[in-house]
Amino acid sequence: MPDPLQFAYWVPNVSGGLVVSDIEQRTDWSYEYNRHLAVLAENNGFSYALSQVRYLASYGAAYQHESTSFSLALLLATERLRVIAAVHPGLWHPAVLAKLIATADHLSGGRAAVNVVSGWFKGEFTALGEPWLEHDERYRRAEEFIRVLRASWTTDDTQFAGDFYRLRGFDLKPKPLTGPDRPHPEIFQGGNSTAARAMAGRVSDWYFSNGKDFDGVSEQVAEVGAAAREHGRRVRFGLNGFLIARDTEAEARETLREIVAKANPDAVRGFRDAVQQAGSSTADGKGMWADSSFEDLVQYNDGFRSKLIGTPEQIATRLVAYRARGVDLALLGFLHYHEEVEYFGTHVLPIVRALEADADRGAGVPEPATH
């Protein structure tokens, strides 16, 4: 039987909240707010937090805290939460990042992780004077980046000769902490393209998908899983979703309607133009945001598509149905973080665990209604 579904949340270390909308979002990008949130999250069923990476003001995000330093601060403020720092190859040398994460791992008792983002925002690279690579080349660089990270963490006198990175006797000490199921800090990656899926099968521990419905999840789990098996590996699967849990379905639906009605059209269109260029630039047209609608992009990782919107019972049933399709981790965003993370822990999570127990006993789980 599968392990219990785990939960992560998007760290709001970027201003503007998790939807590109003028609706009220009782969410703040400050450290004080986020420190309180991290403690609240680990006490309400969350195992992971993912710090966003953004270097420039763009698309409703006027301000942003740097992801690795912010992640370390959250690690030091918590006891159990694993914090994933998103990073860009091309803006970091992987062995330097390996050193930073190793230190963060020791300071946090083995809870540091990294999300390797190949990059979709051309403006950040050009503003920093760095070359902007074609889509599949960005993934080739990201794969080398991960190989250097892992080699730095697990071998001495590391040698590496790639097209993008080279090591000549690099000896990282101290190495990160290790455990029975954790030989090094966990390596996450995203990307919906064919290149991203194949890369995950070869080198990553976790594969993050943008928001997907059941068919989209099943297709990606099957393809990434097959790619991993070809290399004698297992990749765990994370799914993005924006969660709107309310006491009644009508209240949840009205919240979604208001978010979209109050969307900032200029910011959404600007984001759409940037990301759909990146997503559709693949040879087969398969990539992140390649087929996203205006409404999808109001939540900038297609979080509405996962349909985690309704009553606690409806959402829990849908989450357990995703688990049955191979999802190991739900990566969640919220409108009002403090209140809604606590509501999740109190009202949604107990139903998830009860439904999982029923499923594991063979009692079955009702298929959620589609809407």
Side-chain angles (χ1 to χ4, degrees):
M1 63 186 66
D3 292 332
L5 186 64
Q6 296 188 78
F7 295 96
Y9 72 92
W10 284 97
V11 174
N13 57 303
V14 170
S15 67
L18 266 286
V19 291
V20 187
S21 174
D22 295 329
I23 192 173
E24 180 191 17
Q25 299 184 68
R26 292 189 295 277
T27 290
D28 190 78
W29 63 291
S30 70
Y31 174 62
E32 287 301 316
Y33 180 95
N34 273 281
R35 182 176 63 181
H36 181 194
L37 172 60
V39 173
L40 197 64
E42 75 172 356
N43 289 327
N44 280 277
F46 286 83
S47 302
Y48 295 88
L50 173 60
S51 295
Q52 303 174 66
V53 59
R54 193 78 72 87
Y55 291 94
L56 292 178
S58 57
Y59 316 120
Y63 302 97
Q64 56 286 142
H65 287 299
E66 191 276 323
S67 60
T68 60
S69 52
F70 209 76
S71 295
L72 177 57
L74 296 182
L75 285 167
L76 297 179
T78 53
E79 297 177 355
R80 301 176 304 281
L81 193 69
R82 301 180 187 186
V83 185
I84 312 160
V87 295
H88 278 135
L91 304 181
W92 281 93
H93 189 290
V96 174
L97 178 71
K99 185 72 172 177
L100 186 155
I101 297 297
T103 296
D105 208 49
H106 279 265
L107 294 176
S108 64
R111 293 184 287 122
V114 64
N115 181 39
V116 177
V117 183
S118 70
W120 59 265
F121 188 12
K122 182 178 180 180
E124 290 182 327
F125 283 78
T126 56
L128 291 166
E130 295 297 328
W132 177 247
L133 304 181
E134 177 271 329
H135 178 277
D136 286 5
E137 285 294 285
R138 296 199 299 275
Y139 277 94
R140 281 211 315 124
R141 177 174 63 187
E143 181 167 340
E144 282 194 13
F145 190 94
I146 290 173
R147 291 186 185 279
V148 171
L149 274 181
R150 183 174 280 115
S152 299
W153 286 333
T154 59
T155 65
D156 295 329
D157 189 32
T158 306
Q159 308 287 332
F160 188 89
D163 293 334
F164 301 95
Y165 305 108
R166 291 165 183 79
L167 297 182
R168 300 182 177 93
F170 179 62
D171 202 3
L172 174 63
K173 290 182 179 175
K175 298 284 193 287
L177 301 179
T178 61
D181 299 316
R182 185 185 183 271
H184 52 71
E186 292 164 289
I187 299 170
F188 293 72
Q189 71 154 96
N192 287 350
S193 67
T194 300
R197 299 178 197 197
M199 177 183 124
R202 290 189 294 266
V203 296
S204 297
D205 301 317
W206 287 87
Y207 174 86
F208 273 139
S209 175
N210 269 16
K212 291 288 179 185
D213 59 14
F214 291 143
D215 289 343
V217 161
S218 296
E219 184 246 340
Q220 287 194 340
V221 167
E223 189 169 331
V224 174
R229 286 190 294 274
E230 286 180 9
H231 299 276
R233 309 181 64 249
R234 179 194 172 216
V235 177
R236 287 176 287 179
F237 195 92
L239 175 68
N240 179 59
F242 191 82
L243 193 143
I244 305 174
R246 299 293 186 269
D247 292 341
T248 68
E249 183 179 359
E251 290 177 88
R253 295 272 146 222
E254 174 57 23
T255 300
L256 175 61
R257 187 207 63 77
E258 185 181 357
I259 290 171
V260 175
K262 294 182 177 179
N264 182 321
D266 291 339
V268 174
R269 287 191 202 102
F271 179 69
R272 178 190 62 197
D273 292 346
V275 299
Q276 289 190 331
Q277 175 277 327
S280 63
S281 64
T282 59
D284 58 7
K286 185 189 294 185
M288 303 251 302
W289 304 290
D291 61 350
S292 301
S293 68
F294 179 93
E295 179 177 319
D296 293 332
L297 294 172
V298 174
Q299 202 294 306
Y300 42 77
N301 281 88
D302 287 344
F304 301 147
R305 283 186 164 190
S306 302
K307 298 182 180 178
L308 300 177
I309 298 160
T311 65
E313 292 80 4
Q314 289 171 320
I315 291 170
T317 300
R318 193 165 183 89
L319 284 167
V320 175
Y322 277 124
R323 174 189 182 238
R325 287 164 170 81
V327 173
D328 301 286
L329 176 71
L331 172 61
L332 303 178
F334 301 90
L335 194 63
H336 311 303
Y337 263 87
H338 284 182
E339 301 97 313
E340 295 190 35
V341 161
E342 193 163 19
Y343 187 94
F344 173 86
T346 302
H347 297 284
V348 180
L349 184 60
I351 303 174
V352 170
R353 297 302 184 224
L355 289 174
E356 287 177 327
D358 287 345
D360 293 345
R361 285 196 305 268
V365 175
E367 192 73 5
T370 58
H371 38 246

